[in-house]
């Protein structure tokens, strides 16, 4: 009897070992992440997760489809185009900072910059273009930066998210920073992003249906009726942090850049469809 | 014997009186506690229990958590209910329910009132 018990314990320990010894790779995480949502929302086509809560909420879908016919972000795209084409004081413009087709720009971000050991975002490079040309950086969360981002996102619609999976130690460090942030409880109310957007996605918090995290970043910047204007992904992050009474981080802080990096990796293969409109 | 009986009955009625007075005092205190507890439970800036729990009489409740019904049957011991509301992590370390007392969302006195109200459901 004693021998069987010992053997059983040894067998158990052996069975558990692979999970503790080997850390999950981003590829494995992604597979599990996507698998979780496709299983949870069987009626939703995978490609439709880019539509956020409307991908799982047919009653509000119809209303939203109607809104998207005369999208409230149209004006912002026009403003973005004007800004894109307007030369800086030194005669240069955004076109000189971004090489290649306009439609290929959105899909390049976010990416890991080895030289600076940081994550580069679209908004980050838009403002860098300005400061490199002796112009003042725009404010990060709304207004002109969001309009420019919307213009670039619109041109880049329908390209798949083809972000390079982290492999170097430093890339993995950024990835894990974002992942940890996503699963960590925070704020006085002690809730993690995952509490609402994984475990309770599809459930109602008050009368609000919680969106699945799969596809979260695809359609930003977003026109929110609640804001009455466009906002960037990092503006939304700040809002969700405040909702749990946590101190929000600054837009383009390392925390939010890592979070964006993690979220985009988790949405690999889905299509970019910014800008979007939401309640 | 007669005397003794009278004495006894006096004592008994005295005891009964005290009992009744004492009892009604408790009921009055609990009555206002229950009312305030309900206010705190429904207040979005305080308990905001409706964000997740269906509660009879509350509008636009969420469905993240079990409906708060038949509480006396599920929590015969009010102390157990209080502990759950004070810090849900005692039963589920990963709970999405805020640790109301531990994180100072509600004061100890407020938890007592909320508990009194929830126990009536």
């Amino acid at each position: 009897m004693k021998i069987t018990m010992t053997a059983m314990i040894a067998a158990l320990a052996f069975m558990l070992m692979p999970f503790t010894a080997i850390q999950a790779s981003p590829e494995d995480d992604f597979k599990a992440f996507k698998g979780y949502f496709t299983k949870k929302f069987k009626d939703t086509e995978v490609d439709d997760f880019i539509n956020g809560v409307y991908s799982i909420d047919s009653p509000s879908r119809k209303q939203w489809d109607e809104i998207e016919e005369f999208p409230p972000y149209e004006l912002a795209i026009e403003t973005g185009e004007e800004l894109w084409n307007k030369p800086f004081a030194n005669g240069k413009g955004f076109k000189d900072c971004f090489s290649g087709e306009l439609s290929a720009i959105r899909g390049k971000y976010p990416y890991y910059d080895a030289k600076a050991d940081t994550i580069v975002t679209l908004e980050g490079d838009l403002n860098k273009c300005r400061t490199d040309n002796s112009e003042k950086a725009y404010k990060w969360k709304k207004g002109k930066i969001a309009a420019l981002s919307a213009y670039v996102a619109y041109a880049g619609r329908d390209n798949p998210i083809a972000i390079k999976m982290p492999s170097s130690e430093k890339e993995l460090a950024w990835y894990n920073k974002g992942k940890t942030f996503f699963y960590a409880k925070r704020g006085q109310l002690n809730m993690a992003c995952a509490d609402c957007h994984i475990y309770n996605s599809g459930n109602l918090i008050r009368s609000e249906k919680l969106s699945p995290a799969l596809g979260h970043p695809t359609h930003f910047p977003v026109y929110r009726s609640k804001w009455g204007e466009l906002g960037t992904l990092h503006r939304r992050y700040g809002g969700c942090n405040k909702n749990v009474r946590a101190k929000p981080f600054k837009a383009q802080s390392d925390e939010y850049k890592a979070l964006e990096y993690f979220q985009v990796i988790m949405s690999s293969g889905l299509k970019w469809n910014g800008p979007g409109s939401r309640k | 014997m007669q005397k003794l009986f009278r004495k006894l009955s006096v004592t008994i009625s005295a005891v009964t009186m005290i009992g009744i007075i004492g009892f009604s005092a408790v009921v009055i205190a609990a009555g206002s506690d229950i009312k305030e507890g309900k206010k705190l439970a429904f207040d979005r800036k305080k308990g905001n229990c409706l964000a997740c729990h269906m509660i009879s009489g509350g509008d636009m409740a969420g469905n993240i958590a079990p409906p708060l019904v038949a509480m006396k049957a599920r929590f015969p011991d009010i102390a157990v209910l209080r502990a759950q509301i004070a810090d849900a992590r005692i039963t589920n370390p990963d709970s999405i329910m805020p640790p109301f007392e531990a994180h100072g969302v509600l004061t100890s006195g407020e938890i007592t009132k909320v508990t009194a109200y929830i126990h009536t459901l």
Side-chain angles (χ1 to χ4, degrees):
Chain A
M1 182 61 203
K2 203 174 158 199
I3 292 165
T4 6
M5 278 298 284
T6 326
M8 265 172 64
I9 290 166
L12 247 174
F14 183 74
M15 272 165 59
L16 291 171
M17 218 159 59
F19 296 99
T20 45
I22 305 164
Q23 213 194 356
S25 69
E27 285 86 349
D28 291 341
D29 286 347
F30 166 60
K31 253 184 240 153
F33 199 86
K34 191 170 156 187
Y36 174 88
F37 289 110
T38 47
K39 203 167 144 207
K40 186 167 191 174
F41 303 107
K42 285 202 176 65
D43 295 338
T44 301
E45 295 280 339
V46 173
D47 292 342
D48 204 47
F49 280 108
I50 58 177
N51 295 319
V53 76
Y54 308 111
S55 69
I56 57 164
D57 189 23
S58 39
S60 67
R61 177 66 177 247
K62 229 182 121 239
Q63 211 187 348
W64 176 73
D65 280 338
E66 279 162 21
I67 290 172
E68 284 278 326
E69 278 178 37
F70 300 97
Y73 47 75
E74 222 157 32
L75 216 66
I77 296 176
E78 278 172 34
T79 308
E81 181 171 13
E82 280 164 28
L83 290 168
W84 182 267
N85 292 316
K86 200 173 145 202
F88 301 138
N90 66 3
K92 296 224 170 115
F94 287 107
K95 275 176 281 197
D96 301 301
C97 300
F98 294 83
S99 59
E101 292 287 316
L102 183 65
S103 63
I105 296 174
R106 173 62 266 188
K108 285 184 193 157
Y109 299 94
Y111 68 86
Y112 174 71
D113 175 353
K115 231 190 268 160
D117 185 23
T118 194
I119 299 299
V120 183
T121 63
L122 171 60
E123 287 81 8
D125 259 1
L126 284 166
N127 256 342
K128 181 171 181 299
C129 181
R130 286 184 59 81
T131 51
D132 281 354
N133 285 288
S134 318
E135 300 282 328
K136 246 179 87 183
Y138 291 137
K139 287 222 169 103
W140 286 118
K141 292 194 289 193
K142 55 186 179 181
K144 290 182 176 159
I145 197 90
L148 275 162
S149 175
Y151 174 62
V152 174
Y154 189 67
R157 272 189 178 184
D158 294 334
N159 288 314
I161 294 180
I163 188 167
K164 179 187 165 299
M165 283 285 169
S167 54
S168 73
E169 212 168 287
K170 285 185 170 169
E171 281 172 309
L172 284 167
W174 277 96
Y175 171 81
N176 283 321
K177 185 181 170 75
K179 178 179 165 182
T180 305
F181 195 103
F182 191 83
Y183 288 95
K185 300 244 182 209
R186 67 184 68 245
Q188 193 188 28
L189 300 184
N190 203 46
M191 294 179 200
C193 316
D195 281 331
C196 287
H197 294 295
I198 296 187
Y199 314 124
N200 283 294
S201 58
N203 285 341
L204 295 171
I205 191 154
R206 282 273 177 179
S207 48
E208 282 245 51
K209 195 164 248 198
L210 291 162
S211 58
L214 182 63
H216 255 175
T218 59
H219 57 282
F220 277 83
V222 83
Y223 180 97
R224 263 189 101 193
S225 320
K226 193 184 151 198
W227 295 335
E229 60 179 0
L230 240 63
T232 60
L233 181 60
H234 292 200
R235 181 178 182 187
R236 179 77 239 199
Y237 286 165
C240 278
N241 274 166
K242 275 190 229 161
N243 284 345
V244 298
R245 300 185 193 164
K247 192 168 176 285
F249 290 88
K250 289 215 162 77
Q252 303 300 322
S253 59
D254 283 355
E255 284 78 8
Y256 286 175
K257 286 197 292 189
L259 189 56
E260 176 174 346
Y261 186 52
F262 170 74
Q263 285 218 289
V264 173
I265 290 166
M266 287 302 107
S267 296
S268 288
L270 296 177
K271 284 181 174 147
W272 290 107
N273 65 333
S277 64
R278 294 289 186 270
K279 258 194 296 194
Chain B
M1 185 63 204
Q2 272 256 323
K3 243 184 174 173
L4 181 69
F5 185 75
R6 252 215 335 255
K7 226 173 162 179
L8 244 172
S9 73
V10 167
T11 329
I12 288 168
S13 51
V15 167
T16 321
M17 284 288 282
I18 292 165
I20 288 169
I21 292 165
F23 182 67
S24 58
V26 167
V27 168
I28 289 162
S32 67
D33 266 12
I34 290 166
K35 231 174 109 196
E36 282 175 47
K38 179 174 182 177
K39 245 173 91 186
L40 289 163
F42 282 27
D43 186 338
R44 283 171 192 261
K45 297 224 157 68
K46 291 287 190 172
N48 199 16
C49 316
L50 285 167
C52 302
H53 294 276
M54 197 275 284
I55 301 175
S56 160
D59 287 340
M60 296 196 301
N63 63 2
I64 283 176
L68 297 178
V69 291
M71 294 316 283
K72 280 201 185 75
R74 271 147 79 194
F75 293 88
D77 182 355
I78 195 166
V80 177
L81 178 63
R82 190 189 191 284
Q84 164 74 31
I85 297 170
D87 193 340
R89 294 174 299 190
I90 54 165
T91 48
N92 173 9
D94 299 321
S95 181
I96 190 177
M97 179 163 153
F100 285 101
E101 191 166 27
H103 275 211
V105 183
L106 297 172
T107 64
S108 166
E110 288 171 335
I111 301 266
T112 302
K113 289 173 184 164
V114 169
T115 306
Y117 163 63
I118 299 291
H119 210 227
T120 66
L121 298 171

Short mmCIF file of all heavy atoms in Angstrom, two decimals, chain A residues 14-42:
data_model
loop_
_atom_site.label_atom_id
_atom_site.label_comp_id
_atom_site.label_asym_id
_atom_site.label_seq_id
_atom_site.Cartn_x
_atom_site.Cartn_y
_atom_site.Cartn_z
N PHE A 14 5.26 13.79 -11.77
CA PHE A 14 5.77 13.72 -13.13
C PHE A 14 4.78 14.35 -14.10
O PHE A 14 5.13 15.08 -15.01
CB PHE A 14 6.04 12.25 -13.50
CG PHE A 14 6.64 12.09 -14.87
CD1 PHE A 14 7.97 12.42 -15.09
CD2 PHE A 14 5.87 11.62 -15.93
CE1 PHE A 14 8.52 12.29 -16.35
CE2 PHE A 14 6.41 11.49 -17.19
CZ PHE A 14 7.74 11.82 -17.40
N MET A 15 3.50 14.04 -13.86
CA MET A 15 2.45 14.58 -14.73
C MET A 15 2.39 16.11 -14.65
O MET A 15 2.14 16.79 -15.63
CB MET A 15 1.10 14.02 -14.32
CG MET A 15 0.76 12.70 -15.00
SD MET A 15 -0.61 11.90 -14.17
CE MET A 15 -1.88 13.14 -14.33
N LEU A 16 2.60 16.65 -13.47
CA LEU A 16 2.49 18.09 -13.29
C LEU A 16 3.72 18.83 -13.79
O LEU A 16 3.68 19.99 -14.11
CB LEU A 16 2.27 18.42 -11.81
CG LEU A 16 0.92 18.00 -11.25
CD1 LEU A 16 0.89 18.19 -9.74
CD2 LEU A 16 -0.21 18.82 -11.89
N MET A 17 4.84 18.08 -13.84
CA MET A 17 6.12 18.71 -14.12
C MET A 17 6.14 19.53 -15.41
O MET A 17 6.60 20.67 -15.39
CB MET A 17 7.22 17.67 -14.15
CG MET A 17 8.48 18.17 -13.54
SD MET A 17 9.54 16.83 -13.02
CE MET A 17 9.81 15.95 -14.52
N PRO A 18 5.67 18.97 -16.51
CA PRO A 18 5.81 19.73 -17.76
C PRO A 18 5.24 21.13 -17.67
O PRO A 18 5.74 22.06 -18.26
CB PRO A 18 5.02 18.89 -18.78
CG PRO A 18 4.96 17.54 -18.20
CD PRO A 18 5.01 17.70 -16.71
N PHE A 19 4.16 21.27 -16.89
CA PHE A 19 3.51 22.58 -16.81
C PHE A 19 4.31 23.58 -16.00
O PHE A 19 4.26 24.77 -16.26
CB PHE A 19 2.12 22.43 -16.21
CG PHE A 19 1.22 21.61 -17.08
CD1 PHE A 19 1.00 20.27 -16.80
CD2 PHE A 19 0.63 22.16 -18.20
CE1 PHE A 19 0.19 19.50 -17.60
CE2 PHE A 19 -0.17 21.39 -19.02
CZ PHE A 19 -0.39 20.05 -18.72
N THR A 20 5.04 23.08 -15.02
CA THR A 20 5.79 24.01 -14.20
C THR A 20 7.18 24.26 -14.79
O THR A 20 7.70 25.34 -14.70
CB THR A 20 5.94 23.48 -12.76
OG1 THR A 20 6.31 22.10 -12.84
CG2 THR A 20 4.65 23.62 -11.99
N ALA A 21 7.73 23.24 -15.43
CA ALA A 21 9.11 23.35 -15.91
C ALA A 21 9.19 24.26 -17.13
O ALA A 21 10.08 25.08 -17.24
CB ALA A 21 9.65 21.98 -16.24
N ILE A 22 8.26 24.10 -18.05
CA ILE A 22 8.34 24.86 -19.29
C ILE A 22 7.36 26.02 -19.26
O ILE A 22 6.17 25.83 -19.08
CB ILE A 22 8.03 23.95 -20.51
CG1 ILE A 22 8.95 22.74 -20.50
CG2 ILE A 22 8.16 24.74 -21.82
CD1 ILE A 22 8.49 21.62 -21.41
N GLN A 23 7.87 27.23 -19.47
CA GLN A 23 6.99 28.38 -19.51
C GLN A 23 6.28 28.42 -20.86
O GLN A 23 6.88 28.14 -21.89
CB GLN A 23 7.81 29.65 -19.31
CG GLN A 23 7.02 30.69 -18.58
CD GLN A 23 7.67 32.04 -18.66
OE1 GLN A 23 8.75 32.21 -19.21
NE2 GLN A 23 6.99 33.04 -18.13
N ALA A 24 5.00 28.77 -20.83
CA ALA A 24 4.23 28.80 -22.07
C ALA A 24 4.83 29.83 -23.02
O ALA A 24 5.18 30.93 -22.63
CB ALA A 24 2.78 29.15 -21.76
N SER A 25 4.94 29.46 -24.28
CA SER A 25 5.46 30.39 -25.28
C SER A 25 4.31 31.28 -25.74
O SER A 25 3.14 30.92 -25.59
CB SER A 25 6.02 29.61 -26.46
OG SER A 25 4.96 29.01 -27.16
N PRO A 26 4.62 32.45 -26.33
CA PRO A 26 3.55 33.30 -26.86
C PRO A 26 2.68 32.55 -27.87
O PRO A 26 1.46 32.76 -27.91
CB PRO A 26 4.32 34.43 -27.55
CG PRO A 26 5.62 34.49 -26.84
CD PRO A 26 5.94 33.09 -26.44
N GLU A 27 3.27 31.66 -28.65
CA GLU A 27 2.49 30.87 -29.61
C GLU A 27 1.46 30.01 -28.87
O GLU A 27 0.30 29.95 -29.28
CB GLU A 27 3.40 29.96 -30.45
CG GLU A 27 4.20 30.67 -31.52
CD GLU A 27 5.54 31.23 -31.00
OE1 GLU A 27 5.74 31.24 -29.75
OE2 GLU A 27 6.36 31.66 -31.81
N ASP A 28 1.92 29.34 -27.80
CA ASP A 28 1.00 28.51 -27.01
C ASP A 28 -0.09 29.36 -26.36
O ASP A 28 -1.27 28.98 -26.36
CB ASP A 28 1.75 27.75 -25.91
CG ASP A 28 2.66 26.67 -26.47
OD1 ASP A 28 2.45 26.26 -27.64
OD2 ASP A 28 3.59 26.25 -25.77
N ASP A 29 0.33 30.50 -25.81
CA ASP A 29 -0.64 31.41 -25.18
C ASP A 29 -1.71 31.80 -26.19
O ASP A 29 -2.90 31.80 -25.89
CB ASP A 29 0.05 32.70 -24.70
CG ASP A 29 0.88 32.47 -23.46
OD1 ASP A 29 0.75 31.40 -22.83
OD2 ASP A 29 1.68 33.36 -23.12
N PHE A 30 -1.23 32.16 -27.38
CA PHE A 30 -2.15 32.62 -28.42
C PHE A 30 -3.14 31.53 -28.80
O PHE A 30 -4.35 31.78 -28.91
CB PHE A 30 -1.35 33.08 -29.65
CG PHE A 30 -2.20 33.26 -30.89
CD1 PHE A 30 -3.25 34.15 -30.90
CD2 PHE A 30 -1.94 32.51 -32.03
CE1 PHE A 30 -4.04 34.31 -32.04
CE2 PHE A 30 -2.72 32.66 -33.17
CZ PHE A 30 -3.78 33.56 -33.17
N LYS A 31 -2.65 30.32 -28.94
CA LYS A 31 -3.53 29.20 -29.31
C LYS A 31 -4.60 28.99 -28.24
O LYS A 31 -5.78 28.81 -28.54
CB LYS A 31 -2.70 27.92 -29.48
CG LYS A 31 -2.57 27.50 -30.94
CD LYS A 31 -1.83 26.17 -31.07
CE LYS A 31 -0.56 26.34 -31.88
NZ LYS A 31 0.48 25.35 -31.55
N ALA A 32 -4.16 29.02 -26.97
CA ALA A 32 -5.09 28.82 -25.87
C ALA A 32 -6.11 29.96 -25.81
O ALA A 32 -7.31 29.75 -25.59
CB ALA A 32 -4.34 28.72 -24.56
N PHE A 33 -5.63 31.17 -26.01
CA PHE A 33 -6.44 32.38 -25.95
C PHE A 33 -7.56 32.34 -27.00
O PHE A 33 -8.74 32.48 -26.71
CB PHE A 33 -5.52 33.58 -26.21
CG PHE A 33 -6.03 34.92 -25.76
CD1 PHE A 33 -5.82 35.35 -24.46
CD2 PHE A 33 -6.67 35.77 -26.64
CE1 PHE A 33 -6.24 36.59 -24.05
CE2 PHE A 33 -7.10 37.02 -26.24
CZ PHE A 33 -6.89 37.44 -24.94
N LYS A 34 -7.14 32.10 -28.23
CA LYS A 34 -8.09 32.05 -29.33
C LYS A 34 -9.05 30.87 -29.15
O LYS A 34 -10.26 31.00 -29.36
CB LYS A 34 -7.31 31.91 -30.64
CG LYS A 34 -8.14 32.11 -31.87
CD LYS A 34 -7.24 32.19 -33.10
CE LYS A 34 -7.98 31.81 -34.35
NZ LYS A 34 -7.05 31.73 -35.50
N GLY A 35 -8.50 29.73 -28.74
CA GLY A 35 -9.32 28.54 -28.53
C GLY A 35 -10.40 28.76 -27.49
O GLY A 35 -11.54 28.33 -27.65
N TYR A 36 -10.04 29.48 -26.43
CA TYR A 36 -10.99 29.75 -25.36
C TYR A 36 -12.21 30.50 -25.89
O TYR A 36 -13.35 30.14 -25.62
CB TYR A 36 -10.30 30.57 -24.26
CG TYR A 36 -11.23 31.04 -23.17
CD1 TYR A 36 -11.50 30.24 -22.06
CD2 TYR A 36 -11.83 32.29 -23.23
CE1 TYR A 36 -12.35 30.67 -21.05
CE2 TYR A 36 -12.68 32.74 -22.23
CZ TYR A 36 -12.93 31.93 -21.14
OH TYR A 36 -13.78 32.36 -20.14
N PHE A 37 -11.95 31.55 -26.68
CA PHE A 37 -13.07 32.38 -27.16
C PHE A 37 -13.88 31.70 -28.26
O PHE A 37 -15.10 31.84 -28.32
CB PHE A 37 -12.57 33.75 -27.61
CG PHE A 37 -12.13 34.62 -26.47
CD1 PHE A 37 -10.79 34.91 -26.27
CD2 PHE A 37 -13.06 35.11 -25.58
CE1 PHE A 37 -10.38 35.69 -25.21
CE2 PHE A 37 -12.67 35.91 -24.50
CZ PHE A 37 -11.32 36.20 -24.32
N THR A 38 -13.19 30.97 -29.14
CA THR A 38 -13.95 30.32 -30.21
C THR A 38 -14.84 29.23 -29.63
O THR A 38 -15.93 28.95 -30.13
CB THR A 38 -13.02 29.74 -31.30
OG1 THR A 38 -11.98 29.01 -30.68
CG2 THR A 38 -12.42 30.84 -32.14
N LYS A 39 -14.38 28.62 -28.53
CA LYS A 39 -15.19 27.59 -27.89
C LYS A 39 -16.34 28.23 -27.10
O LYS A 39 -17.47 27.72 -27.10
CB LYS A 39 -14.29 26.77 -26.94
CG LYS A 39 -14.84 25.40 -26.65
CD LYS A 39 -13.81 24.51 -25.98
CE LYS A 39 -14.50 23.62 -24.98
NZ LYS A 39 -13.65 23.20 -23.87
N LYS A 40 -16.03 29.33 -26.44
CA LYS A 40 -17.04 30.00 -25.61
C LYS A 40 -18.15 30.61 -26.46
O LYS A 40 -19.31 30.58 -26.07
CB LYS A 40 -16.37 31.09 -24.77
CG LYS A 40 -17.28 31.76 -23.77
CD LYS A 40 -16.49 32.59 -22.77
CE LYS A 40 -17.37 33.04 -21.62
NZ LYS A 40 -16.61 33.72 -20.57
N PHE A 41 -17.76 31.18 -27.61
CA PHE A 41 -18.75 31.82 -28.48
C PHE A 41 -18.82 31.08 -29.81
O PHE A 41 -18.33 31.56 -30.83
CB PHE A 41 -18.41 33.30 -28.68
CG PHE A 41 -18.32 34.06 -27.38
CD1 PHE A 41 -17.09 34.47 -26.88
CD2 PHE A 41 -19.47 34.34 -26.65
CE1 PHE A 41 -17.01 35.15 -25.66
CE2 PHE A 41 -19.39 35.02 -25.44
CZ PHE A 41 -18.16 35.42 -24.95
N LYS A 42 -19.44 29.92 -29.76
CA LYS A 42 -19.48 29.03 -30.93
C LYS A 42 -20.19 29.66 -32.12
O LYS A 42 -19.89 29.33 -33.26
CB LYS A 42 -20.18 27.72 -30.55
CG LYS A 42 -19.31 26.81 -29.69
CD LYS A 42 -19.77 25.36 -29.79
CE LYS A 42 -18.85 24.44 -29.01
NZ LYS A 42 -18.91 24.73 -27.54
#
